[in-house]
Amino acid sequence: MLYLVALLGVVVGLAVAVVDDWRTGVRWMGASLLFAAGCRLAVPAGQAGMLAVRHRLVDSTGLAVVGVVLVVLAGDIPEGPPGP
């Protein structure tokens, strides 16, 4: 169930990135991955479902690193040159 919540957050982020502001969408995706990392740490392997692929520390670290990278890059990439 937690996997589906995290997946839904990523899908919402992707939809926001396509339809509206890409930065907000990428932040949604990063936040969803951070949520998944926290869930993987907090929930036992038997209840983690598809979040449990490897060892708990490896899964949560990988999800957290990618989530943080997405959030930081969404805020750090400068805007392009102003339009005409």
Side-chain angles (χ1 to χ4, degrees):
M1 181 67 179
L2 294 173
Y3 172 76
L4 292 177
V5 173
L7 183 63
L8 179 64
V10 171
V11 169
V12 167
L14 184 60
V16 169
V18 169
V19 173
D20 192 27
D21 181 31
W22 69 270
R23 290 180 193 271
T24 305
V26 171
R27 285 184 183 120
W28 265 90
M29 289 186 267
S32 296
L33 292 177
L34 289 171
F35 169 77
C39 289
R40 179 63 181 111
L41 276 176
V43 176
Q47 296 177 352
M50 292 180 68
L51 289 176
V53 178
R54 295 166 199 87
H55 296 287
R56 179 179 291 190
L57 187 61
V58 173
D59 288 340
S60 58
T61 301
L63 288 166
V65 166
V66 174
V68 167
V69 166
L70 285 175
V71 171
V72 168
L73 286 178
D76 198 39
I77 295 175
E79 289 290 332

